[in-house]
Amino acid sequence: MSNNIPLTVALSPHTYSKESIETLMYGVIIALIPAGLMGIYVFGFNALVITLTAVFSCVALEFLVQKYVLKVPVRAFDGSAIITGTLLAFNLPSNLPLWMVVIGSAAAILIAKMTFGGLGNNPFNPALIGRVFLLFSFPVHMTTWPKPFDAVTAATPLGILKEGVKEGKNVSELMQQMPGYFDLFLGRMGGCIGEISALALLIGFVYLLWKKIITWHIPVSMVGTIFVFTGLLWLSNPERYADPLFQILTGGVMLGAIFMATDYVTSPMTKKGMLIFGALIGVLTVLIRIFGSYPEGVSFAILISNAFVPLINRYCKPRRFGEKQ
């Protein structure tokens, strides 16, 4: 008896969903809008120019590589390149020359993404690769921060703290030079375009949870670990270490926890793995901030943790169907 029923052979998981790559990616883009608007409000029109430059160059580079180099179906407009460009821009100071932004886009798309075969194959977060590439290549430009609502440059709260501790100053004295916690929460401080406002980033986080684009596991695990770790340090010596609320509201903790550590491709698959992954990022962030030479450690912590994702996935592999407990 002949059997003409067509069979589709594909790798697991065999789960049907109405969601597509495009809907998920553009959902993330929508969630990034509040942080982008706050960056433009604080740093001016140049923040918008840098963001558009990063997005356009990322999309254009991915289009050219797919069409003329790899000669594969063009997927440059599925939203992933837009997210890469947006997150790259959000990790840059608003006074960075535009030609450097394009170089950062090239590092993100050509080195971190397309070299490994494009979306779904890259082991490291492309936007962070672009940022770190620029940080190593142009350290002066990447650590010169415009003052909020002004063209004058000023140090970030983390930079003030780092330099002051090196000089032997008391943390409580240094904190008097910082904006208040409410200002830090709103984003009235120096820093990268998209990282300054915890409020705007939390609005995006709520949207992502509502749309079920991400889960709470990585952000809560990462931020919770930073809170506990820095809290213990602060309790042990408040004259040398800043309190945990300051550590969470400054720098790239919120942006990294919500939008970069949760990247589908470079994060673990299971909920247990996500909790481990977030905790690892939190520990590394604090170690780099406190004991490293850089005042910020989120980008490095996420990239280092990306390298552990295959090991975490192997350790947290779900039980096979039919396997005995």
Side-chain angles (χ1 to χ4, degrees), residues 6-288:
L7 298 176
T8 301
V9 179
L11 296 175
S12 61
H14 306 113
T15 304
Y16 174 78
S17 173
K18 295 181 180 180
E19 300 292 346
S20 64
I21 292 176
E22 287 79 6
T23 57
L24 293 174
M25 294 298 171
Y26 283 100
V28 175
I29 293 169
I30 292 172
L32 285 165
I33 291 175
L37 292 176
M38 191 64 188
I40 296 169
Y41 171 70
V42 172
F43 298 115
F45 182 72
N46 205 42
L48 176 61
V49 174
I50 284 182
T51 302
L52 293 178
T53 301
V55 169
F56 177 80
S57 54
C58 282
V59 173
L61 287 168
E62 185 163 322
F63 174 85
L64 293 173
V65 170
Q66 290 175 339
K67 187 172 181 64
Y68 297 108
V69 179
L70 299 179
K71 297 181 179 179
V72 297
V74 174
R75 303 281 300 177
F77 305 103
D78 61 7
S80 63
I82 298 176
I83 291 177
T84 298
T86 304
L87 288 177
L88 172 63
F90 282 13
N91 278 277
L92 303 177
S94 62
N95 55 356
L96 196 71
L98 296 183
W99 63 270
M100 290 187 184
V101 178
V102 176
I103 290 177
S105 298
I109 296 297
L110 301 182
I111 297 176
K113 187 175 182 182
M114 301 311 298
T115 298
F116 294 96
L119 181 65
N121 300 300
N122 50 288
F124 301 100
N125 186 290
L128 291 180
I129 290 291
R131 180 188 189 275
V132 171
F133 184 88
L134 290 175
L135 184 61
F136 287 157
S137 302
F138 312 103
V140 175
H141 290 84
M142 285 291 291
T143 53
T144 302
W145 311 99
K147 189 176 181 180
F149 309 105
D150 201 337
V152 179
T153 59
T156 64
L158 286 176
I160 295 173
L161 182 67
K162 190 74 173 182
E163 292 302 316
V165 170
K166 284 183 179 179
E167 296 171 1
K169 295 181 180 179
N170 192 304
V171 168
S172 59
E173 297 176 359
L174 295 171
M175 294 296 289
Q176 297 177 3
Q177 305 175 33
M178 313 283 189
Y181 288 116
F182 186 68
D183 287 332
L184 293 177
F185 180 72
L186 293 180
R188 296 169 181 166
M189 60 177 171
C192 295
I193 293 172
E195 71 179 16
I196 54 172
S197 176
L199 174 61
L201 292 167
L202 286 173
I203 292 173
F205 180 49
V206 171
Y207 178 83
L208 292 175
L209 291 178
W210 174 52
K211 287 294 186 178
K212 297 182 180 180
I213 296 175
I214 66 172
T215 65
W216 59 268
H217 300 80
I218 292 176
V220 171
S221 176
M222 176 180 164
V223 175
T225 300
I226 292 174
F227 184 88
V228 172
F229 195 173
T230 56
L232 293 174
L233 292 173
W234 176 61
L235 290 173
S236 67
N237 190 351
E239 302 300 322
R240 177 174 176 80
Y241 303 110
D243 63 88
L245 187 58
F246 173 85
Q247 295 284 0
I248 291 172
L249 294 178
T250 55
V253 170
M254 299 301 292
L255 178 64
I258 297 170
F259 290 101
M260 292 183 291
T262 55
D263 174 47
Y264 288 149
V265 181
T266 58
S267 61
M269 296 182 294
T270 64
K271 293 178 180 179
K272 179 181 177 182
M274 291 177 185
L275 292 173
I276 296 173
F277 181 69
L280 177 61
I281 296 173
V283 169
L284 291 173
T285 296
V286 176
L287 291 176
I288 295 171

